[in-house]
Amino acid sequence: MAAHGPRRVGQTAAVNAYLWITVVSLAAWVWLLLGQGFFWRTDVRLPPRREPDAWPSVCVVVPARDEAAVLPESLPSLLAQDYPGRAEIFLVDDGSTDGTGELARELARRHGGLPLTVDSPGEPPAGWTGKLWAVRYGIGLARARDPEYLLLTDADIAHAPDSLRELVAAAEAGGFDVVSQMARLRVASLWERLVVPAFVYFFAQLYPFRWIGRKGSRTAAAAGGCVLLRAGMAQRARVPDAIRHAVIDDVALARAVKGAGGHVWLGLADRVDSVRPYPRLGDLWRMVSRSAYAQLRHNPLLLLGTVAGLALVYLVPPAAVVVGAAGGDAATALAGAVAWAVMAGTYLPMLRYYGQPLWPAPLLPFTAFLYLLMTVDSAVQHYRGRGAAWKGRTYTRPDAVPDEG
């Protein structure tokens, strides 16, 4: 019997170690549930609004590169905006090869509505991403109209007829310098159902919306598909010149505005939808991996910490249930089950927001594992020197990777 003593001690130590790891994971989920700005709630929508006595003028800037496939669904919604004040659209054709610019003009002739100007800035100079260079060019065109607000919106974003009115009313009522809505992404294919709601869930976990809108908070983020920005604040914060090297341009814009003393609000959209499809896993993989490592500032230590954190928070709970049940360790299995239940429970509101069935909730560890692999792949592509490919344009500088748009 003595010969089995060391083995039993080693087994007991391993069981205790796994139990403690599981308890740490459970503690992390209790913190995320209660202490991370209630990120999992989906009730952060446009703040209280009131119509101003005089509606301010707005210029809408739409950077577009090879967007002929989505423009027929998105551009007419901008042209049809029911806005009481003066509003005008500037679509910047960023070197498209699919007839984006001419299609935009044809849609304007066919649908009428707000005035539309289509122009092209040429190739971006060194140090500028294509999208931000197009935004800069569009803002330059808009400044000739001396608008009070700029609406920066992507070419794949469709707006309800009252979207602009509601955005401006919220900014005026709340004194916000930025009002941004995270467009409701398309969820149709199986992979979109598994990955897309989780994308928004993870974003909100990193940047809790309640913290962003709080004055004095250092948390800053925006959603590039829909950003209403005071023109005066754009000049004060030197947007977009100050962020021309930024990797995640919408987050960088919000940080620049907060750094200039501005007030930023970000929430989920009710009137703004992305029409861009991501039907296959490969499409979603490229969307995430294109800028995932840039989010970590191309820092190997941050990458290791992120991988370890994702494993601890998302992968340990289901593994603990399996290991605990197989080894007869009820405490480990129970701790893992509780952590997994909290995880799934915090995901349910996002699934409801997207009108999805609830079966993907317990599969969140699998989705998180996919995101872990996407992040690692992003780092691998960076160190292979391949840069980031975006609509036929390759970016090799670490600080010149475009955001989705």
Side-chain angles (χ1 to χ4, degrees):
M1 292 181 62
H4 296 288
R7 181 182 303 173
R8 289 176 179 172
V9 170
Q11 290 174 342
T12 301
V15 169
N16 289 339
Y18 204 86
L19 174 59
W20 279 111
I21 292 172
T22 307
V23 168
V24 171
S25 179
L26 175 58
W29 273 109
V30 172
W31 163 254
L32 289 171
L33 177 68
L34 302 175
Q36 190 65 8
F38 295 100
F39 76 94
W40 45 272
R41 294 179 57 172
T42 56
D43 57 348
V44 182
R45 310 295 175 88
L46 276 178
R49 291 144 343 252
R50 67 172 181 272
E51 295 195 352
D53 296 332
W55 287 91
S57 58
V58 182
C59 283
V60 182
V61 176
V62 185
R65 179 175 173 86
D66 291 336
E67 299 285 16
V70 296
L71 273 185
E73 293 184 71
S74 60
L75 186 57
S77 73
L78 283 174
L79 295 167
Q81 285 301 298
D82 178 21
Y83 185 67
R86 179 168 59 88
E88 187 172 351
I89 303 170
F90 294 88
L91 186 140
V92 183
D93 183 3
D94 180 20
S96 298
T97 59
D98 65 349
T100 289
E102 185 51 44
L103 175 60
R105 295 185 185 95
E106 172 59 29
L107 289 170
R109 287 192 291 268
R110 189 187 312 164
H111 292 277
L114 297 183
L116 172 71
T117 298
V118 179
D119 207 340
S120 179
E123 286 297 309
W128 282 85
T129 69
K131 178 180 176 180
L132 283 175
W133 179 244
V135 168
R136 185 183 192 274
Y137 188 81
I139 290 176
L141 295 174
R143 279 179 178 150
R145 307 295 198 269
D146 193 26
E148 295 174 67
Y149 284 95
L150 299 163
L151 174 61
L152 311 180
T153 186
D154 289 340
D156 65 327
I157 302 299
H159 293 255
D162 62 347
S163 172
L164 182 57
R165 177 199 290 260
E166 294 290 286
L167 286 166
V168 171
E172 289 286 286
F176 296 106
D177 297 289
V178 168
V179 173
S180 179
Q181 288 186 290
M182 179 160 284
R184 200 187 301 255
L185 304 175
R186 196 189 91 136
V187 178
S189 70
L190 173 63
W191 286 113
E192 287 171 335
R193 290 184 174 188
L194 279 173
V195 175
V196 166
F199 176 83
V200 182
Y201 173 90
F202 293 144
F203 184 93
Q205 191 176 91
L206 287 173
Y207 306 102
F209 296 159
R210 282 177 171 78
W211 290 358
I212 292 168
R214 186 185 305 161
K215 280 190 174 181
S217 169
R218 298 180 60 184
T219 305
C226 177
V227 178
L228 183 74
L229 171 65
R230 287 186 190 268
M233 178 52 71
Q235 289 186 302
R236 182 176 173 184
R238 296 180 56 247
V239 171
D241 295 60
I243 63 171
R244 64 187 180 275
H245 293 153
V247 175
I248 314 297
D249 54 70
D250 42 15
V251 174
L253 182 150
R255 286 174 178 165
V257 169
K258 278 206 169 185
H263 193 187
V264 176
W265 183 91
L266 171 64
L268 295 173
D270 290 315
R271 299 170 175 82
V272 183
D273 298 279
S274 172
V275 299
R276 191 184 303 282
Y278 294 98
R280 297 175 294 274
L281 177 60
D283 303 317
L284 292 158
W285 193 289
R286 285 187 291 273
M287 179 191 76
V288 175
S289 66
R290 183 168 53 241
S291 59
Y293 194 40
Q295 179 75 36
L296 303 177
R297 301 196 292 271
H298 302 100
N299 187 319
L301 293 179
L302 287 178
L303 174 65
L304 290 175
T306 298
V307 170
L310 285 171
L312 174 68
V313 174
Y314 289 98
L315 305 185
V316 165
V321 172
V322 173
V323 172
D329 183 1
T332 298
L334 178 61
V338 173
W340 196 357
V342 174
M343 179 198 315
T346 62
Y347 192 37
L348 292 177
M350 189 62 68
L351 291 173
R352 292 193 184 100
Y353 168 73
Y354 270 96
Q356 295 303 300
L358 302 185
W359 60 262
L363 297 181
L364 189 57
F366 171 74
T367 305
F369 182 62
L370 288 179
Y371 274 89
L372 186 155
L373 295 179
M374 294 173 192
T375 302
V376 171
D377 181 58
S378 179
V380 170
Q381 297 306 316
H382 168 75
Y383 289 114
R384 286 181 176 176
R386 294 182 179 177
W390 182 74
K391 300 196 177 191
R393 183 185 279 143
T394 300
Y395 298 81
T396 55
R397 287 170 52 100
D399 58 354
V401 183
D403 194 16
E404 173 66 13

